[in-house]
Amino acid sequence: MLRLQDEFRDLFRRPFGILFPDISDVIPLLSGRVVYAVGDVVTDSLLSRGIFPDIAVIDGYTMRSPFLRTPLYAGASHIRVNNPAGMITPDLIAGIERALADPPALVFVDGEEDLAVIPLVIAAPDGVFVLYGQPGEGVVLREIDSAAREEAQVLLSYFTTENASIK
């Protein structure tokens, strides 16, 4: 599994794409696009507007507090994975791969989904729009291309590999 080193956490507070102050600013751009969402608020906001992401990754929390409107995504396969805070586990990566192989899918993370955007961007096909919340700032939109995948690989370089088991 991969653990984000504490001294690099600030790098992950910068948007990994285009920051929009409100999701309503992004909605017009989504027509006809394949959309992946990371985060409960983003996923709920899309579903409430009738936009069904091909993949949604949630954990039941927003800003460390329970999200009381955990999105119920009918018609999507449900995949449950373990991923502690500050980590990217093989279980998370495998869940994302399963979701990519058979969309629509809701990946529910026991733990924290914040860093799921990195393996999702690496694995996603070109042209997909990935959306995730930027706490206190808005929503980030990243179109997937080789530059996005390269940037995600650079972000992975700030992690260290650990061989601990997840329970």
Side-chain angles (χ1 to χ4, degrees):
M1 74 179 96
L2 301 171
R3 178 183 299 280
L4 178 60
Q5 296 305 293
D6 290 337
E7 63 265 27
F8 299 119
R9 288 190 185 276
D10 284 345
L11 294 174
F12 290 79
R13 290 187 176 92
R14 287 184 271 176
F16 178 47
I18 302 168
L19 176 64
F20 292 86
D22 191 87
I23 196 159
S24 62
D25 300 325
V26 178
I27 299 301
L29 305 174
L30 303 181
S31 180
R33 302 303 295 249
V34 174
V35 176
Y36 298 168
V38 177
D40 293 72
V41 174
V42 170
T43 301
D44 183 63
S45 295
L46 291 172
L47 292 172
S48 70
R49 289 170 170 83
I51 298 170
F52 298 91
D54 285 69
I55 296 173
V57 183
I58 64 170
D59 65 4
Y61 287 82
T62 184
M63 297 193 305
R64 310 266 192 275
S65 297
F67 187 68
L68 302 178
R69 295 186 320 266
T70 296
L72 299 175
Y73 192 175
S77 62
H78 290 194
I79 300 165
R80 195 169 199 102
V81 300
N82 290 305
N83 193 76
M87 311 275 300
I88 296 175
T89 62
D91 196 29
L92 174 64
I93 293 168
I96 288 170
E97 289 171 353
R98 284 196 315 268
L100 286 164
D102 190 24
L106 176 72
V107 179
F108 189 89
V109 178
D110 288 319
E112 192 172 279
E113 98 290 77
D114 294 5
L115 296 172
V117 71
I118 296 168
L120 187 58
V121 165
I122 290 170
D126 283 353
V128 168
F129 278 4
V130 174
L131 297 172
Y132 71 91
Q134 188 78 15
E137 296 186 50
V139 63
V140 176
L141 166 67
R142 183 66 188 242
E143 183 174 2
I144 304 306
D145 58 13
S146 60
R149 282 190 284 280
E150 287 172 21
E151 192 174 337
Q153 289 289 350
V154 168
L155 291 172
L156 274 182
S157 72
Y158 298 108
F159 289 73
T160 57
T161 303
E162 295 187 357
N163 291 324
S165 63
I166 304 270
K167 294 184 181 185

